[in-house]
Structures are given as structure tokens and as C-alpha cells.
Amino acid sequence: MSVEQRLITRGAQDDIRARTSSLGQAVFQVPLYLNQEKLYHARRPHRKSRGGCITCKKRRVKCDEGKPTCTKCQKYGASCSYSTTSSGKGSRTDVASSTQKPDDITFSFPLSDLATRIEQVLNLDTGTNTSLVERNAVYPVSMVAFQHFIKCSTETVANPGLRAVMRSDMIRVSFTSPYLMYTIIAVGVLHLNRVSPGNKTRQFAETYFWQRAIKLYQAALTSNVTPKNVDSLLSTCMFMGLTSLCPEDIKPTDSWVLSDKSDAMNWLCLQSGLRCIITLAKPYLDSSIWASTFQHAHEDEVQFLEHVVKQGREGLDPDLADLCGIDESTTAKTNSYYEPLALLAALFQLEKNFKNSAKCAEFMGKLSNDFLALLRRRDPPALLILAQWMGLMCTLSQWQPWIFGRLVTECIAICMYLEHDPDPRISRLLEFPASACGYSSRDVSHSI
């Protein structure tokens, strides 16, 4: 059965919880590596060094006893200490000084040493033991999630440039930034929990790591953006909206459209966060790890926007254009509906593939504050535009399976809210998103 056939089913209102629960486990459609004990290169055996530094002794490698930092520690970017009073776990000062940008060989550490480095970075925040270990597991959840993020979660990123930076430079930056490290681990745990649910330790870990990531990230935002923190802020921001897009259990009545919860629409507002951070970070973008990738993405975006209409009704659905008050002289400056509607029309023309599915997903990050305000007021034309986009994303779910986390449910909520509207144009415009998300009602598709 195809994705479209699986989506277009009857009675979705009755079984939405069951469907999003099972299909939501495919938030990231990539292989699991849960039984792989070592993800990094194995360490060759070395003779012990009797007078070497404590770090080399712990790693059982020969130390050249260079001071103040031996060659091995310099090579691996590790904390080098000859102090006999050191606990071996590294003080806050030691860890901060040892996490200068390491080269790729950092990730040739045995897992036990890498796990220690991760815990050291996390302890820069709390100063306490943050280890959470599953029953019968060798390594802590943080280590397992960190591995999973690099090996599996990044595989879902359609842009190869973004994917490459996430696996290299961003990981290196995380060893200097507790809130980025917490975020990476939280994403890895979230991914694991969605593809393999029911693990109580990991469920607790997901909540804990997201709480720490959000709290530290919010604190970091109160300071100015500088060359030192620009990469951490940008990297963290890219993932901050993920937890709200992939909730474990959500039903249509949880949507802001059908509830009075003041924070129910925050998931959508969060998606424009990167745009704000990029604006603040503009003076330092040229030196950022993301500079080249952002530049290529910008060039691709400019090329795409050339095909987006700038004025009038050409290419727009006539009924939706009428509902939005758009005539031949309308532009984005004169009408808050125009930009998202014109952009949506261009997205519908794209060939359906992995790369373009990611471009379609970017729609939610481009919504203006004025349009978001219309959505918050449950404005019917604005809701219809959003529902059309959600329907489009449902048809792209084989490449973007995270849509089962929230978008399917939110789309159903919009259909439920608008289905009894007496305007026949609204009923017709609901047909596509309703069928795409699996919602079926005699009132949605009645004859006009």
C-alpha cells in the first residue's frame, strides 16, 4: 500500500491516535544501530607510560611526557594533567581549555573515553552526574543518543551541505557548548523514542535533556551574539522546534484551532526562530561553520523565488484568491495572505522528491507575524492556506515522515473546525487536505 493510500482512509477522526502513534514511530526513517557496540574506530594496543600524564594513563596509551601538554593530548584535543590530585574527570577549567576545535581523530576515541568527554561537557552546566543508564546497558543514554544522532538522525536531513556540517563542525562545537550538546543528545533520544517507544529510562532522559537544552539556550539568548557563540546559537536553533513537531501523543482537540490553550500554537511560531537568529548573527555569518551552506541555500532560494508570482492572481486557486481578497493589483505589501499563498502555489508545482520535500517543509518557517496572527484568530482563509500546505506535506510523507508527529493531527483539526462552514468554496478547498491527511466526513465532501 502506498503512502497516499495509507493516508487516504475513512474514519480518521476515530483512529487518529492509533495511526499517529504507530506511524509516528517513523519520524526518522533510517536504520537503527542499537546493537552495534562500537561506532568509532578501535584503538590499537599501546605500552603503558610510567611517568606520563593522567589522561594517557587512563587511555592506556604511551605518553611522551611533554609539558604543559603532551603530544597525545594535543592530538586528541583532550585534557592533559600531571596533577596527582586530579580526579581524572577534568575540572571545569580543564574541560573548557581542552575543547578547542579538535580534528576528525577526536571521533576515533574508544566509546568509554568519548562518553567521559560528553559527560564532562554536560557537567559544565550542572556540575553533577548526568549519567542515565538503561538496564543491562554498557554506556549511558547520552552516549547512545550522541552516536544515534551522528549515525542515524542526520541521515534524514535532505540538504547534503547541512548534513555534512552537522556531522563534523557542529559536533566539534558541541564539545565547547553544554546547551548544544544537550540539544544534540535530546534529538538523538527523541529519535530513538519515536522509532522504538516504551523505554521508560529513555523517556525520562528525553524530557530531562530537552529541559536542560531549552533552559541553557534561553539563558544564552539573553547575551549578545558574538563570534564565539554564533555557531552554538545557530546550531541549537535549528533543532529547537523539533520536540514540538514530534510529540509522543497528540489528538485534534489539542490543536489551537479546537482548544483555548494559550501555548497550543507555539509549535508553529517556533519554526521561524532561525530567521531571527540569523538576523542577529549577520555580522558574524561569514566566519561561521554554516557560512558556505547558508550561502548555497540562499542561492537556491533566490532561484526558486524567481518562479513565485509577485502580483495578481496568476497561478492561484480562484476560490482561495477570492476568499483572501486578492485581485490583479494585489501584492505581499498590500495583503497578508498573498506571500504564503503565492509561495504555496509555487511549491505545488515542484516535482515530488526528497530534496523538494525539504523545500516544502521550509514553508512553515517563512510565515510572517501578520499571517501567524491571522492563524491565531482562526481566520478561515489563513487556515485554508495552512491546511493546503499540510495536505501537500502529507503527500510527501515518504521523505518527511515527521509529519505524522503533528501535522496530520493539526490538519484534521482544521478540517473539523471548517467543515460546517456554509461557504461552498471552503468545502471544496477542504477536499484535498482532508483526503491527504486521512480525515473523512460527509460534511467535508458534500456536493456543491
Side-chain angles (χ1 to χ4, degrees):
M1 182 182 292
S2 68
V3 173
E4 286 80 6
Q5 290 172 325
R6 189 169 68 244
L7 283 169
I8 302 173
T9 57
R10 298 187 64 82
Q13 181 179 355
D14 299 329
D15 68 351
I16 180 61
R17 179 176 299 191
R19 290 193 304 109
T20 55
S21 176
S22 59
L23 294 175
Q25 296 171 18
V27 170
F28 302 98
Q29 282 186 337
V30 292
L32 289 178
Y33 294 82
L34 297 179
N35 297 322
Q36 183 172 330
E37 183 172 344
K38 288 199 173 183
L39 192 63
Y40 300 96
H41 301 298
R43 176 187 57 180
R44 294 179 180 178
H46 291 76
R47 291 174 54 195
K48 272 192 176 181
S49 173
R50 297 182 182 275
C53 71
I54 292 174
T55 305
C56 286
K57 287 181 179 179
K58 284 189 64 180
R59 298 185 63 249
R60 298 180 183 177
V61 299
K62 186 175 181 179
C63 180
D64 65 359
E65 303 180 33
K67 295 182 179 181
T69 303
C70 73
T71 302
K72 291 292 184 182
C73 288
Q74 287 180 339
K75 184 178 181 180
Y76 288 99
S79 174
C80 185
S81 174
Y82 289 89
S83 171
T84 58
T85 59
S86 172
S87 66
K89 294 184 179 181
S91 65
R92 298 190 180 203
T93 303
D94 288 340
V95 175
S97 65
S98 70
T99 50
Q100 68 270 21
K101 186 175 180 179
D103 55 28
D104 289 337
I105 205 165
T106 296
F107 306 112
S108 296
F109 278 163
L111 292 186
S112 58
D113 285 3
L114 192 54
T116 298
R117 282 177 57 81
I118 291 173
E119 293 303 312
Q120 287 175 340
V121 177
L122 298 183
N123 288 343
L124 288 173
D125 157 43
T126 62
T128 59
N129 183 8
T130 57
S131 295
L132 294 169
V133 183
E134 299 177 53
R135 182 178 297 178
N136 300 323
V138 177
Y139 300 107
V141 174
S142 58
M143 180 71 252
V144 175
F146 184 83
Q147 285 186 46
H148 190 79
F149 175 87
I150 298 173
K151 188 69 176 180
C152 301
S153 302
T154 53
E155 277 295 317
T156 67
V157 179
N159 186 309
L162 285 173
R163 188 166 61 244
V165 175
M166 287 177 181
R167 287 174 169 173
S168 56
D169 289 330
M170 190 185 78
I171 295 299
R172 297 185 183 101
V173 172
S174 72
F175 281 97
T176 70
S177 170
Y179 60 85
L180 177 55
M181 179 63 78
Y182 272 120
T183 301
I184 289 172
I185 294 172
V187 172
V189 177
L190 180 148
H191 186 175
L192 284 167
N193 283 341
R194 300 306 180 271
V195 298
S196 182
N199 185 301
K200 298 297 185 182
T201 301
R202 287 205 312 257
Q203 288 174 347
F204 173 79
E206 179 184 339
T207 301
Y208 172 75
F209 287 127
W210 275 119
Q211 285 178 345
R212 296 310 307 163
I214 292 170
K215 182 175 181 178
L216 294 178
Y217 177 61
Q218 289 176 335
L221 289 175
T222 62
S223 303
N224 293 329
V225 179
T226 68
K228 290 184 177 181
N229 66 14
V230 63
D231 290 330
S232 296
L233 290 173
L234 287 171
S235 300
T236 302
C237 186
M238 290 180 187
F239 299 102
M240 267 298 144
L242 185 60
T243 182
S244 62
L245 282 176
C246 305
E248 284 195 284
D249 186 24
I250 183 173
K251 51 188 182 295
T253 51
D254 293 325
S255 171
W256 90 95
V257 181
L258 299 177
S259 75
D260 294 322
K261 300 174 183 176
S262 60
D263 60 347
M265 207 180 88
N266 284 357
W267 69 271
L268 185 57
C269 298
L270 281 172
Q271 307 312 314
S272 61
L274 183 60
R275 183 176 59 194
C276 300
I277 296 295
I278 289 177
T279 300
L280 296 173
K282 189 174 182 179
Y284 314 112
L285 286 181
D286 288 343
S287 60
S288 169
I289 61 175
W290 300 104
S292 176
T293 303
F294 282 1
Q295 180 60 35
H296 290 154
H298 174 70
E299 293 169 358
D300 183 57
E301 183 73 2
V302 169
Q303 185 177 5
F304 169 71
L305 291 176
E306 291 177 356
H307 302 286
V308 178
V309 294
K310 306 297 188 296
Q311 180 175 324
R313 296 165 58 98
E314 183 180 357
L316 306 182
D317 183 285
D319 283 343
L320 195 48
D322 287 342
L323 286 169
C324 295
I326 294 173
D327 57 31
E328 295 302 332
S329 64
T330 303
T331 66
K333 291 183 178 180
T334 61
N335 188 303
S336 297
Y337 303 110
Y338 194 83
E339 185 173 18
L341 185 54
L343 179 59
L344 187 62
L347 292 176
F348 267 94
Q349 300 303 312
L350 294 177
E351 179 183 353
K352 288 182 171 59
N353 56 41
F354 186 33
K355 180 180 179 181
N356 287 337
S357 70
K359 185 179 294 294
C360 292
E362 294 170 1
F363 174 86
M364 59 183 167
K366 300 178 184 297
L367 301 179
S368 68
N369 290 333
D370 289 341
F371 188 77
L372 290 172
L374 289 170
L375 289 173
R376 195 175 292 279
R377 295 200 297 269
R378 304 180 180 91
D379 174 75
L383 290 176
L384 282 170
I385 292 173
L386 188 63
Q388 291 287 320
W389 169 73
M390 289 175 172
L392 173 62
M393 291 306 302
C394 286
T395 68
L396 300 171
S397 60
Q398 69 183 91
W399 298 290
Q400 301 292 328
W402 56 266
I403 69 104
F404 293 107
R406 179 179 288 275
L407 291 197
V408 168
T409 308
E410 294 284 356
C411 189
I412 288 175
I414 293 176
C415 292
M416 293 172 65
Y417 182 78
L418 293 176
E419 66 180 346
H420 299 295
D421 193 289
D423 192 323
R425 295 171 299 181
I426 291 180
S427 295
R428 183 188 71 79
L429 290 165
L430 279 178
E431 289 178 3
F432 166 69
S435 64
C437 72
Y439 181 69
S440 180
S441 169
R442 287 174 298 178
D443 296 322
V444 174
S445 56
H446 67 270
S447 300
I448 298 177

